Amino acid sequence: MGEFDALAEAIYKDKVRRARAMSPEEKLLAGQELFDFACKFTLAGIAVQHPEADEDERFRLLRQRLALGEKLDRLSVRPVPDVTE
């Protein structure tokens, strides 16, 4: 394992350790913060892709992308086989 791989694994393990130590309330807040960050990041990308779009149009495109993501999630959900038998 290379130096970069070892560092990446250590960072991942630390993130998992911290997530497991969070209370349910902290996890809920962290999820909201992550969603807000992702929306801001996506809005920035939309602004670059559509420099002519005003704020209302950028938010409309964001809602459209979120709806598409939800649709794709629903289409990709498959029943999990029971492997305990």
Side-chain angles (χ1 to χ4, degrees):
M1 180 182 301
E3 185 178 332
F4 177 78
D5 293 332
L7 177 60
E9 185 175 340
I11 291 170
Y12 173 76
K13 285 181 179 181
D14 184 59
K15 285 182 178 183
V16 170
R17 182 192 54 74
R18 286 186 285 132
R20 287 181 177 163
M22 292 173 119
S23 70
E25 293 83 8
E26 290 172 319
K27 289 178 183 178
L28 185 65
L29 288 174
Q32 180 63 47
E33 290 171 359
L34 181 59
F35 179 77
D36 290 346
F37 173 79
C39 286
K40 288 176 185 175
F41 193 83
T42 303
L43 281 168
I46 290 170
V48 170
Q49 291 173 338
H50 301 278
E52 75 289 349
D54 64 9
E55 185 178 21
D56 288 340
E57 177 66 6
R58 290 192 301 266
F59 275 98
R60 187 190 69 74
L61 290 167
L62 174 63
R63 286 190 297 275
Q64 185 179 50
R65 291 180 186 193
L66 290 171
L68 177 60
E70 289 176 6
K71 183 177 182 179
L72 291 173
D73 279 346
R74 285 192 302 275
L75 291 174
S76 67
V77 173
R78 304 274 191 277
V80 177
D82 184 3
V83 294
T84 59
E85 296 176 351

